Amino acid sequence: LPPPPQTSAQRYASLLSHLMHTPPTSFPPTNAGKSGAKPLLLKIKPEGERSDNKTREEISKMEPGSRRRYERNQREKLRSFRISKQIKDLQTVLTALQIPYKNNKFSVLVSAVAFIRAGQEEVWRGERWCGVLRGICERAEALAKEEEGL
C-alpha cells in the first residue's frame, strides 16, 4: 500500500527538515592555504558550446580591459552555475514532496514560494487555534474552581 498523503504542514515540516539537514555546497573552491585565498577559476562548459576558458598564463598576457572583461564573464558564469544548481536542488525537494511544477526555473520558484506560504498560513492558523483552545481551557479551569468553592 502507498503511504497516506501528507498534509501541507507535514510537507512543509519535511521541506524545512531537508533544508536544515542538507550540508551546504562548498562553492567556489579556493586556494585554501595560500595567502589572499581567491576563488579558483572554474572551467564551466555548457553542453554543445566550445570552451573559451584560458590558462592563468594566457590571462596574465591579456590587455587590462580584456582581462577585466574576461574575469567578469567568468564570475557571471559561476554565478549562473550556482543559481542553476540551487534551483536543481529545489526541484529535487519539490519532487520528493510531490509538489507539482513545470520543468522551468520560474515555475520551480513559484511552486516553492506557494508551498512555503501555504505552510506559513497553516502554522499561523495552528497558532491562532492554540490561543483559542488555551483560552477555553483557562475558562474551564476557572469554572471548575468556582464550582469547587460552592
Side-chain angles (χ1 to χ4, degrees):
L1 290 173
Q6 292 182 322
T7 65
S8 295
Q10 289 170 327
R11 289 189 310 209
Y12 181 67
S14 177
L15 172 66
L16 290 178
S17 175
H18 173 78
L19 293 174
M20 298 208 36
H21 294 94
T22 302
T25 54
S26 56
F27 276 103
T30 59
N31 292 322
K34 298 182 181 178
S35 63
K38 293 183 178 180
L40 296 173
L41 290 177
L42 293 181
K43 294 193 174 188
I44 301 168
K45 179 182 173 187
E47 288 186 33
E49 294 185 23
R50 83 172 187 64
S51 174
D52 63 345
N53 292 308
K54 301 181 182 333
T55 64
R56 293 188 188 279
E57 185 178 319
E58 291 172 322
I59 295 170
S60 67
K61 292 178 182 176
M62 295 172 100
E63 294 286 326
S66 297
R67 183 181 320 129
R68 281 193 302 271
R69 184 172 51 252
Y70 176 79
E71 289 172 347
R72 186 174 51 245
N73 287 343
Q74 289 298 103
R75 286 191 306 270
E76 178 58 24
K77 281 183 184 180
L78 179 60
R79 187 189 71 81
S80 177
F81 175 78
R82 291 162 132 179
I83 291 170
S84 294
K85 167 114 179 49
Q86 292 301 312
I87 289 177
K88 283 181 184 178
D89 289 349
L90 193 52
Q91 279 179 320
T92 303
V93 172
L94 293 175
T95 300
L97 296 172
Q98 301 173 348
I99 298 169
Y101 63 91
K102 293 178 186 173
N103 199 15
N104 62 58
K105 293 176 182 180
F106 180 76
S107 179
V108 169
L109 295 174
V110 167
S111 294
V113 167
F115 179 71
I116 291 168
R117 283 190 178 144
Q120 287 173 329
E121 287 175 14
E122 282 197 30
V123 167
W124 178 78
R125 272 190 239 113
E127 288 173 352
R128 195 174 70 179
W129 273 109
C130 282
V132 169
L133 292 174
R134 195 174 301 116
I136 291 170
C137 289
E138 289 170 0
R139 181 67 183 138
E141 287 174 3
L143 289 173
K145 286 181 181 176
E146 283 178 18
E147 285 184 12
E148 285 177 8
L150 291 178

